[in-house]
Amino acid sequence: MGDFKTMRLPVLAAAALSALCLAVPASAEDTAPCGGGLVCANNPATVTAALEKAKFKPTLTKDAEGDPMIESEESFYKFQVYFYGCKDHKNCDSLRFESSFEKAPENTPDFANKWNAKKRFLQAYVRNDGEFVVAYDVATIGGLNQTNFGDVLDWWHSQLGELATFFKEELKLPDAKPEKPKG
Amino acid sequence: MRLNWLAGLLLMAMPLSAAAEEQEPLLDLSAPHLVAKALQDAGYKAEIAKSKSGDPYIKSAANGSDFTVEFYGCELANGCGSIQFYSWRKKESWYTPALANRWNTRKRFLRIEIDEDGDIGMHLDVATVGKLTKANFADVIDWWSVMSSDLDDFLAKEEEAQPKAAKPAGS
């Protein structure tokens, strides 16, 4: 009984590393001021305020490169919000929501492909170190109004719920629907 | 006359506060004809078509490659809640989940998968409830366009890295 792997464990610290080695298009940096009432990556306070309004508990900090980063959690998993396309740690042009899960034998490209083929919004992948990651990139040039950014947060939250179900069903974790008996 | 003068002052003051709230023109993207118009205004072609099941979608193109925009969560009262940019690349023997994973690990915005036919499916989902600022929708289309052409460069490099006299698959 105790041998069941009952939980997929989120990874926190290591996730900060994952944000560093991604390729970004040449046109980085958002120098236009964030419009009144809008949410923009070039104004991190607008992002934390919107997360708070949606009942998350965000903490604004910095990633390993010194760019803004938010750590938070929701009812399913802990997550980070990375700021991309920054110049001198400012004028960031986009956000990336990310949640990571510790190395496990089932973390294979096939497993990630199953998610990517069937589900929406979250891009899943297995890193070289064996961790399973889901990410949701959000373009913020021009800003998002409060309702639309609230909808973005809804999608992030609901798709993490989908992910919990996906884990249960695909990995046949204890709460999943009964499967055919072995043999 | 004095009253009119006061009213005039009030009228002058009101648009100022309204402008502070709504500086950006908002695009309603809750229906196919609205998204088609927004794409056209952004300089892309857009034609409304119907899927086999009768659902409307948009046919468009960027960098010479076709893509579609599909609609999700549609209700009569509120329109659709989200859209998905989608395109695909025809099956090659070396399209594998491992290749898709290499892309998904390193690249942003464009989620790719190997579908049941062995083709590469390319997806970008966008939440549209509450409307998007015009500049933000332009930014979204730009990400789609940039990352799609980045994928083609990535695939060209992957193809070059294939063994020249590859054995037929399944032998």
Side-chain angles (χ1 to χ4, degrees), chain A residues 22 119 121 126 137 139 145, chain B residues 101 108-109 111 125 130 136:
Chain A
L22 288 161
K119 306 292 183 174
F121 285 95
V126 179
D137 289 296
N145 66 50
Chain B
N101 195 60
R108 301 180 62 207
F109 286 97
R111 175 177 96 247
D125 290 296
N136 188 238

Side-chain angles (χ1 to χ4, degrees), chain A residues 22-23 25 35-36 84 94-95 110 113 116-117 119-123 125-126 137 139 141-143 145 148 151, chain B residues 23 26 72 82-83 97 101 104-111 113-114 125 127 129-133 135-136 139 143:
Chain A
L22 288 161
Y84 274 88
S94 58
L95 297 172
D110 280 312
N113 196 62
N116 289 326
K119 306 292 183 174
R120 299 188 62 210
F121 285 95
L122 306 193
Q123 184 174 350
Y125 55 94
V126 179
D137 289 296
I141 286 180
N145 66 50
N148 186 233
D151 191 35
Chain B
Q23 289 171 335
L26 288 178
Y72 287 86
S82 65
I83 56 176
N101 195 60
N104 288 323
T105 301
R106 302 208 307 248
K107 304 291 186 170
R108 301 180 62 207
F109 286 97
L110 188 68
R111 175 177 96 247
E113 41 97 14
I114 311 299
D125 290 296
V129 168
K131 301 180 186 173
L132 269 66
T133 60
N136 188 238
D139 192 25
W143 274 109

Side-chain angles (χ1 to χ4, degrees), chain A residues 125-142:
Chain A
Y125 55 94
V126 179
R127 294 200 331 220
N128 285 341
D129 63 7
E131 282 175 11
F132 182 87
V133 184
V134 287
Y136 174 16
D137 289 296
V138 181
T140 65
I141 286 180

Side-chain angles (χ1 to χ4, degrees), chain A:
Chain A
M1 205 171 86
D3 288 334
F4 280 121
K5 182 168 181 176
T6 55
M7 279 187 70
R8 305 265 301 168
L9 297 177
V11 178
L12 267 189
L17 292 168
S18 73
L20 306 180
C21 42
L22 288 161
V24 282
S27 61
E29 205 186 0
D30 180 8
T31 51
C34 190
L38 300 181
V39 177
C40 316
N42 70 6
N43 187 343
T46 61
V47 183
T48 42
L51 280 159
E52 277 163 4
K53 201 168 116 190
K55 309 278 184 242
F56 294 95
K57 291 193 173 62
T59 307
L60 181 62
T61 170
K62 284 176 180 166
D63 69 14
E65 290 200 327
D67 288 336
M69 171 180 127
I70 292 169
E71 290 186 334
S72 189
E73 52 189 284
E74 44 83 70
S75 50
F76 298 104
Y77 301 114
K78 296 192 171 169
F79 66 91
Q80 297 78 41
V81 185
Y82 294 101
F83 290 67
Y84 274 88
C86 318
K87 191 171 181 200
D88 299 329
H89 317 303
K90 289 182 183 141
N91 299 340
C92 312
D93 72 0
S94 58
L95 297 172
R96 180 178 178 87
F97 292 75
E98 216 177 89
S99 196
S100 312
F101 301 85
E102 72 176 13
K103 182 177 177 171
E106 63 270 16
N107 293 352
T108 62
D110 280 312
F111 185 64
N113 196 62
K114 255 186 202 174
W115 171 274
N116 289 326
K118 288 196 296 204
K119 306 292 183 174
R120 299 188 62 210
F121 285 95
L122 306 193
Q123 184 174 350
Y125 55 94
V126 179
R127 294 200 331 220
N128 285 341
D129 63 7
E131 282 175 11
F132 182 87
V133 184
V134 287
Y136 174 16
D137 289 296
V138 181
T140 65
I141 286 180
L144 282 72
N145 66 50
Q146 296 292 329
T147 310
N148 186 233
F149 192 74
D151 191 35
V152 164
L153 294 180
D154 264 358
W155 275 111
W156 173 243
H157 172 69
S158 68
Q159 290 306 96
L160 286 180
E162 278 286 312
L163 183 67
T165 308
F166 176 80
F167 284 155
K168 275 182 192 168
E169 290 178 356
E170 295 292 330
L171 304 175
K172 306 181 175 50
L173 296 177
D175 283 349
K177 289 174 222 154
E179 288 290 324
K180 284 182 283 184
K182 275 182 189 165

